[in-house]
């Protein structure tokens, strides 16, 4: 026996139905998300990421990390010579002259000690010659 359909149902969060009358919802892939009833999966914006399929939201990159483009599946560590102290950012900040950062994925740069110096974006300080 056939049971008469009483109408369409909305896709649950993490799924989407881009075409009317679809029998099944599409799974939103990594780097995207959807809320309940949304027609299309939405790219995670720069500064956020979606590492799993079926996501209902994207996650902000942690301090020391960044996501430079929309649709990222993971965040990247800020390279040595830069840092990012805030969460959810699409870029890293180059260390200023007189500061450095030797480690990737850092939230801040360090001041050069004593008579040492550095150029902007330096992963290490140099000793000043007298």
């Amino acid at each position: 026996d056939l049971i008469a359909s009483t109408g369409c149902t909305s896709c649950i969060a993490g799924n989407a139905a881009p075409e009317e009358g679809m029998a099944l919802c599409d799974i939103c892939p990594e780097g995207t998300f959807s809320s309940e009833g949304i027609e299309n999966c939405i790219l995670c914006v720069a500064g956020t990421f979606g590492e799993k399929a079926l996501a209902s939201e994207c996650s902000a990159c942690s301090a020391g990390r960044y996501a430079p483009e929309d649709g990222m599946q993971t965040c990247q560590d800020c390279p040595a010579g830069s840092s990012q102290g805030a969460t959810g950012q699409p870029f890293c900040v180059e260390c200023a002259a007189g500061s450095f950062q030797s480690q990737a994925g850092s939230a801040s740069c360090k001041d050069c000690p004593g008579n040492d110096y550095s150029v902007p974006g330096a992963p290490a300080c140099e000793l000043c010659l007298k």
Side-chain angles (χ1 to χ4, degrees), residues 42-97:
I42 302 166
L43 287 174
C44 295
V45 297
T48 67
F49 69 104
E51 68 179 339
K52 295 182 180 177
L54 293 169
S56 60
E57 63 184 7
C58 298
S59 300
C61 294
S62 59
R65 305 192 63 159
Y66 72 110
E69 301 172 6
D70 293 347
M72 298 289 292
Q73 296 174 16
T74 60
C75 297
Q76 301 171 4
D77 285 342
C78 290
S82 70
S83 66
Q84 179 50 264
T87 61
Q89 297 301 308
F91 58 87
C92 297
V93 179
E94 184 178 73
C95 293

Side-chain angles (χ1 to χ4, degrees), residues 94-101 109-122 124-126 128:
E94 184 178 73
C95 293
S99 67
F100 74 103
Q101 183 48 258
C109 295
K110 302 172 188 175
D111 291 334
C112 291
N115 288 328
D116 291 359
Y117 75 97
S118 71
V119 296
C125 297
E126 302 286 331
C128 286

